Amino acid sequence: MTSAITVDRLEVIFDRFRALKGVSLDVQPGESFGLVGESGSGKSTLLRAIAGLAPVASGSIAVNGKTLGARRDKAFYREVQMVFQDPYGSLHPRQTVDRLLQEPLAIHGFADGERRIERALDEVGLGNGFRFRYAHQLSGGQRQRVAIARALILEPSILLLDEPTSALDASVQAEVLNLLEEIRRRRKLTFLMVSHDLAIITHMCERLMVMQGGEAVENLVANDLVERRVTKDYTRNLLRASDGFVRTA
Amino acid sequence: MSGQAGTLLEVDDLRVTFPTRTGMIEAVRGVSFSLGRERLGIVGESGSGKSQTGRAIMGLTPPQARISAQKLAFDGIDLLGISPRQRRALRGNRIAMILQDPKYSLDPVMSIGRQIVETLRTHEKVGKAEARERALAMLEAVQIRDPERVFDLHPHEVSGGMGQRAMIAMMLIAGPEMMIADEPTSALDVTVQLDVLGILDRLVSERGMGLIFISHDLRLVSSFCDRVIVMYAGKVVEQLKASELGQAQHPYTRGLLNCMPKIGADRHPLPVLDRKPEWAA
Ligand SMILES: Nc1ncnc2c1ncn2[C@@H]1O[C@H](COP(=O)(O)OP(=O)(O)OP(=O)(O)O)[C@@H](O)[C@H]1O
Ligand SMILES: Nc1ncnc2c1ncn2[C@@H]1O[C@H](COP(=O)(O)OP(=O)(O)OP(=O)(O)O)[C@@H](O)[C@H]1O
Ligand SMILES: [Mg+2]
Ligand SMILES: [Mg+2]
């Protein structure tokens, strides 16, 4: 079977700083693959590189068997959509939710905009009452839901999700995770998902990669985390820290 | 439970309302609580008014909003009665807030290091070289790996968690007496998260800072805070000791605890809340 995403020995360099040092990754169609790791380890950079938004120095990226060049065309963004880590930066604050959702539809020439917008808002648990609000009038979690609605509205086959629920409270988080799972099953979507919450990764993903300092340090299946079958110290620390804060007197 | 001696902040019947084209949005509807030299958690649904509560205390409410309170006092100072200038002075010195949107609240055209240095120098008379040293030390304290490099980066050149920590460093360097931290660790990996909480924790226990910790991470709140306020639809629906979060009474709080994914629990789909209209009454 052709892989949905293949990343081979990818190097990303900003000025002189090597943000990714030869990272490889293979995600099957319909699979949900997790990325965890230290802050600054290059998780967002990896997603951004796939989306054509990071300076690739060497290595290759293929989507659905097609090796990508430096430029991404319109057809690419119908297949691949990204939900950014920072819902504040990714939505223009002076645009209404309606405009934000219209835009991708207009770019890709969809006719049934009205129906899609209503459905997308409904799917992420924002009623029609939010449709004509400006992005700056929304809370953090509400913005993130708009960002997810915007990615889903084009019905892509691959979603790159960068901390999609870290701005959401547990109840809305559960709804969004259920929604993502349900859509993935229904539309046979492929996910590449970053989260610092190991419980979310084990809940959503079959396989995962642990990153540190621009490199992959460990590849695991979700069950390895459940059974604490990990080999690297960093992963072990992550597991320990997942239990919560411990006050040292 | 509300401290008399050593009370830093008193909030009584705080209301924040936004007039919009389609009517009034009541973001905060009569919130009351007090804060001593302790760690007070605020949890609650997305859109329940947590950030707007924090912003109102800081004096960072958007200008078009209407704000009222029976009492809103910091260290005996009536916050709604003083001039904008006095308010700004408090904000710069004695009260600080880590905003939920760190990258958005950092100046995009100034390097991270310069922003921290300038914050420090508006508070204290320190020379350039010393200011730089202290800014670097603060970046190191929040576990930034290579402070020298990050010092010279602009906000768009740092990762989500680095931006969040830069913001924390900037707020800490002023040494505030009260800190409102709005989702301060939501973008941090769990190991760094604990380091940052450790810093905040020491400021409370060693320097007597008052901390309002807004977070949706119940696991963190219950293990880190002393007390917790639970908000729903602009109101406080429950107040309890953090260690007793597991015994919460309100159905919203109980529902919240139940819908978190847990390592090893295989629940698909996750349980979700069945929200009752009377919760918002
Ligand atoms: N435009 C840029 N210019 C310079 N350095 C950059 C730029 N973008 C990212 N970097 C650097 O690349 C490294 C990796 O950043 P990235 O955003 O991928 O981290 P991350 O793993 O997503 O971290 P987090 O969990 O904190 O979001 C960081 O050290 C960051 O400073
Ligand atoms: N400028 C504004 N104009 C109109 N409504 C606003 C404005 N800012 C916020 N609101 C509304 O006020 C309510 C409370 O927002 P707030 O940001 O305090 O929520 P929150 O509890 O912090 O949520 P989250 O966990 O998602 O960050 C939300 O319903 C939001 O849509
Ligand atoms: Mg990131
Ligand atoms: Mg908020």
Side-chain angles (χ1 to χ4, degrees), chain A residues 88 139-141, chain B residues 50-52 100 182-183 214:
Chain A
Y88 291 89
S139 77
Chain B
K50 304 181 298 292
S51 296
Q52 289 302 336
Q100 189 175 5
D182 194 354
E183 303 280 5
I214 302 174

Side-chain angles (χ1 to χ4, degrees), chain B residues 79-128:
Chain B
L79 292 176
L80 297 180
I82 57 176
S83 71
R85 231 186 91 234
Q86 291 167 305
R87 202 87 198 266
R88 254 196 317 277
L90 270 185
R91 190 154 66 224
N93 280 304
R94 303 183 61 193
I95 318 181
M97 179 164 178
I98 300 168
L99 294 168
Q100 189 175 5
D101 42 355
K103 278 197 177 176
Y104 203 64
S105 24
L106 291 167
D107 185 338
V109 297
M110 205 193 279
S111 76
I112 300 266
R114 236 187 91 199
Q115 295 188 47
I116 300 176
V117 163
E118 293 208 347
T119 310
L120 175 60
R121 296 188 75 192
T122 55
H123 293 103
E124 271 179 61
K125 284 220 170 341
V126 287
K128 275 221 175 88

Side-chain angles (χ1 to χ4, degrees), chain A residues 43-45 85 162-163 194, chain B residues 159-161:
Chain A
K43 306 178 296 294
S44 298
T45 302
Q85 181 168 7
D162 197 353
E163 303 274 9
V194 175
Chain B
S159 78

Side-chain angles (χ1 to χ4, degrees), chain B residues 128-281:
Chain B
K128 275 221 175 88
E130 188 196 335
R132 186 188 156 86
E133 279 313 304
R134 283 182 48 191
L136 285 171
M138 194 50 92
L139 285 173
E140 205 169 342
V142 294
Q143 306 294 321
I144 297 266
R145 273 182 165 237
D146 34 7
E148 297 274 352
R149 179 177 73 91
V150 174
F151 190 94
D152 292 319
L153 294 180
H154 284 73
H156 72 274
E157 297 172 324
V158 297
S159 78
M162 287 154 78
Q164 202 162 38
R165 280 175 287 163
M167 183 82 193
I168 294 171
M170 202 159 104
M171 292 301 131
L172 289 180
I173 207 150
E177 292 160 58
M178 180 172 87
M179 163 96 84
I180 303 171
D182 194 354
E183 303 280 5
T185 62
S186 63
L188 303 180
D189 76 74
V190 278
T191 58
V192 176
Q193 211 168 55
L194 295 190
D195 292 328
V196 169
L197 289 186
I199 297 175
L200 294 176
D201 195 52
R202 280 195 296 282
L203 289 174
V204 175
S205 54
E206 288 165 19
R207 277 210 248 145
M209 185 179 80
L211 175 67
I212 297 179
F213 185 78
I214 302 174
S215 173
H216 63 265
D217 191 330
L218 297 168
R219 178 182 42 82
L220 271 192
V221 168
S222 65
S223 59
F224 176 69
C225 292
D226 304 304
R227 281 191 302 137
V228 190
I229 287 178
V230 184
M231 287 185 70
Y232 188 83
K235 286 193 170 167
V236 175
V237 295
E238 190 160 17
Q239 284 208 42
L240 62 175
K241 274 195 186 157
S243 55
E244 289 166 6
L245 204 57
Q247 287 92 272
Q249 292 304 311
H250 196 278
Y252 169 69
T253 321
R254 297 173 70 100
L256 263 191
L257 290 165
N258 187 34
C259 58
M260 290 194 301
K262 295 178 191 74
I263 295 178
D266 196 16
R267 301 184 298 169
H268 298 269
L270 290 165
V272 294
L273 281 179
D274 180 16
R275 296 179 181 75
K276 299 280 194 294
E278 58 267 27
W279 295 356

